[in-house]
Structures are given as structure tokens and as C-alpha cells.
Amino acid sequence: MTCPCGSTLTFDACCSPFLSGKKLPPTAEQLMRSRYTAYTKSDVSYLKKTLAPESRGDFDAATTKQWADQSTWKGLKILSTKRGSASDTQGTVEFTAVYEAEGKTIEHHEVSKFRKDENGQWFFIEGESHTHAEGEEHHHDHEPKKPIVRVAPKVGRNDPCACGSGKKFKKCHGQAA
């Protein structure tokens, strides 16, 4: 089986050693890919473990698992990386993840920031993102943009829901939490 992260490798040769804790991802991009794979497998413990400690304050494991379970993951495309190599301590990865939720195909575009600690472990710090549901018009820089919709675990109660409904999280998927 090809790895869900979109590499040409099998899951066992790609992200599995990271999710199982046998190896640390050597680059920010490999951490990004393994976090995407963790979403496809609803591996919430890996998502929390690879989230920077300073970013864990609003992490909600139950809501993250529910959202990951209810989504059908369609693919990941890495658009660019800036630094984040094995010899760097910081990096940025721009990507698009496509998933289906509540019958809609959602394109999630994000620029994520990562840092590596003194032990060589990469962590996800934060990401600036927006989503686009299939059938909606794309907005360009000169047009008004839709509100930022963050992918779990950065969804706060008053943030727009990650499903793309346009409702606040607390009035949508946050009601079940």
C-alpha cells in the first residue's frame, strides 16, 4: 500500500516508522507528511506528540479524532518548502490537503511553520490556512477572502468550523464535543 502522504513509498517504508515512534522525521516536510498520514489514520496521539508544547493549549483530542474519523482523505500535495532540512532548526512547508466532509470536497491550503528541538525532533508550531469547498469560487488577492478556517487542532470555539460550513465551530462540530 502506497503511503497516504503521497510519496511513492509504501506506508511501512515511509510514515509508519514515524507514527510508531521508531524513527523521528529528519525534515520539516517529512513531519508534515507524517502528520497528514496521522490524520488519515486518526492517530491523535501522534498529532499531539508532534505539536509544539507551546501550541498545545487548545488541543482537543476528542474533537480532533471525531473530525479526522468523519473526513475522507483524498490526497496531499506539497507546494513548497523553505528551509526545514535535516541541518536546519526551523522550516516552512506550504501544502494543499484534499478531503471530503459532509458530502463536500474540501481543499485545505496551508503554510505551516515547524521547529526542531535540541534532541533533533521536529514540531508543528502553527499554520496560516484557508479552505475552499468544491463548487465555490476561488478568490484572488484583489477579491475579498473568506475567513481563515484552521485545520484541527488549532480550532477554537469561536473560529469558523473546519468542515467549511461557514458556522462558528461551537455552533457546528463543536456541539458534539
Side-chain angles (χ1 to χ4, degrees):
M1 168 177 108
T2 305
C3 191
C5 79
S7 75
T8 58
L9 301 172
T10 65
F11 172 65
D12 289 341
C14 191
C15 289
S16 178
F18 306 139
L19 271 62
S20 69
K22 292 179 182 173
K23 290 174 67 176
L24 292 175
T27 67
E29 180 180 331
Q30 285 175 302
L31 176 62
M32 171 55 239
R33 288 180 177 279
S34 67
R35 285 180 55 85
Y36 172 84
T37 298
Y39 278 107
T40 71
K41 301 201 175 284
S42 298
D43 188 342
V44 176
S45 64
Y46 183 79
L47 293 168
K48 184 174 183 180
K49 181 175 78 171
T50 58
L51 182 61
E54 66 272 18
S55 301
R56 292 180 188 163
D58 61 355
F59 183 78
D60 182 338
T63 302
T64 300
K65 180 162 179 42
Q66 179 185 19
W67 180 75
D69 285 343
Q70 292 175 353
S71 299
T72 303
W73 301 92
K74 304 284 191 176
L76 174 69
K77 182 177 180 182
I78 303 297
L79 303 175
S80 68
T81 59
K82 183 178 177 184
R83 297 177 38 203
S85 72
S87 61
D88 289 319
T89 57
Q90 295 182 349
T92 303
V93 179
E94 181 179 7
F95 67 93
T96 301
V98 179
Y99 63 96
E100 190 175 297
E102 298 183 357
K104 292 182 184 177
T105 300
I106 309 291
E107 183 179 289
H108 176 86
H109 178 244
E110 183 169 317
V111 178
S112 294
K113 294 180 183 177
F114 299 87
R115 70 169 175 80
K116 187 168 61 173
D117 71 8
E118 60 280 351
N119 299 319
Q121 181 173 351
W122 282 100
F123 291 96
F124 168 72
I125 301 170
E126 64 183 354
E128 290 296 322
S129 63
H130 67 272
T131 60
H132 169 80
E134 191 174 78
E136 291 179 349
E137 290 183 29
H138 282 281
H139 292 280
H140 301 287
D141 288 337
H142 62 280
E143 296 177 24
K145 293 185 178 183
K146 291 187 177 257
I148 291 176
V149 179
R150 296 182 182 186
V151 68
K154 296 294 283 183
V155 176
R157 287 180 35 78
N158 289 316
D159 287 337
C161 191
C163 75
S165 69
K167 297 178 186 176
K168 286 185 178 183
F169 177 73
K170 66 184 178 186
K171 296 288 186 181
C172 192
H173 281 89
Q175 289 182 331

